[in-house]
Amino acid sequence: MTISGCLRKMRVSHGADDAVDYTLELCKPGSKTDEVTATLPMNALLSREIRLRPSGKIFCVNCGKGTKKSFSDGYCWRCFSTLAETDMCVMKPHTCHFDKGTCRDPDWGLKHCFQEHALYLARSSGLKVGITRGTQVPTRFIDQGASEALIIGLFPSRKEVGEAEFAISHEMSDKTNWKRMLVNETCDTPFDQCLAHARSLLTPSQQEHLLPSGRLLRFAYPHLSWPSKISNSFNFDKSPLIHSPLIGIRGQYLIFEAGVLNIRSQSGYEVEIEVE
Ligand SMILES: [Zn+2]
């Protein structure tokens, strides 16, 4: 079976048994509306030999135009430098500048940033603190490859949750070490221990947004075995072909016997996929 089209971040779902299910979708090159041309249920492909061949073309995930280089996971330069969703304040929510009247797209800002956001602790490589829009629960945790996530607070806007995260991040990581995450190396520090400390770093008014008891989510990722180390990370700028059995999926990574591929970072790349 051979399919082709432009890559997008894999779609994920979270079953009642905590199992994570992945679907890879390919979009029509040049399509502005993310018109899906092929769908691949990925969990069923474990142990199968997969061939991924990039065409060398990249199509912006927003405007659909061809671009020589991909910025911030699949945008052309024009979109990357003008859209609100690729502004630095999305990465660093405490730097939200909406109230200064300088939001790149105030309508987008009103719709996406002024709604309920969750503050959470997650166990991916180590324990980390993070934030996400309420509608992105549990997708965000899965995209990071977390084995557990504890929602500890709900805030009315992205800036407010971002300020709480920023206060905690002085003493707790807000990053995932992806190599450790992919070999399933994790710490077993109980959430409770960190939660008390995190709480103490917040102001009384920030503490008012914390939940009396957190909401715990667990995630089990499809895999045959975890790699013992990550010796090779593919990307289509340097790898003209990937041809290897799939042994696992975690976060937005496909884990092949021959190395790993971050699908999210390859969004917009046109590829041909053959399952043997
Ligand atoms: Zn574009």
Side-chain angles (χ1 to χ4, degrees), residues 117-247:
H117 279 66
L119 178 68
Y120 65 86
L121 304 180
R123 192 184 303 283
S124 43
S125 43
L127 285 189
K128 65 163 289 230
V129 61
I131 66 135
T132 185
R133 270 204 304 278
T135 52
Q136 287 297 104
V137 171
T139 304
R140 180 74 181 146
F141 310 137
I142 296 170
D143 285 350
Q144 292 181 333
S147 58
E148 288 185 320
L150 181 72
I151 298 174
I152 62 172
L154 297 172
F155 290 71
S157 73
R158 190 166 180 88
K159 185 171 193 177
E160 285 163 276
V161 78
E163 286 166 345
E165 180 197 33
F166 187 62
I168 296 171
S169 70
H170 291 304
E171 298 196 28
M172 183 189 282
S173 176
D174 57 357
K175 306 256 179 331
T176 298
N177 177 320
W178 62 271
K179 285 192 173 178
R180 288 181 56 200
M181 180 273 284
L182 289 175
V183 299
N184 199 34
E185 189 184 315
T186 186
C187 74
D188 45 19
T189 310
F191 277 127
D192 288 356
Q193 211 170 307
C194 300
L195 184 54
H197 186 54
R199 177 183 287 272
S200 73
L201 298 168
L202 299 179
T203 64
S205 64
Q206 287 173 326
Q207 289 180 14
E208 283 173 19
H209 296 290
L210 296 181
L211 299 169
S213 60
R215 182 179 153 216
L216 183 67
L217 297 160
R218 290 198 172 86
F219 306 99
Y221 297 92
H223 67 289
L224 300 176
S225 61
W226 296 118
S228 52
K229 69 177 177 110
I230 305 300
S231 47
N232 184 26
S233 168
F234 293 111
N235 76 64
F236 291 137
D237 294 328
K238 63 173 175 105
S239 322
L241 176 72
I242 298 171
H243 183 200
S244 181
L246 181 71
I247 59 168

Side-chain angles (χ1 to χ4, degrees), residues 257-272:
E257 240 172 53
V260 301
L261 175 70
N262 180 350
I263 288 289
R264 182 175 208 168
S265 75
Q266 306 296 292
S267 296
Y269 284 70
E270 185 184 38
V271 292
E272 185 184 273

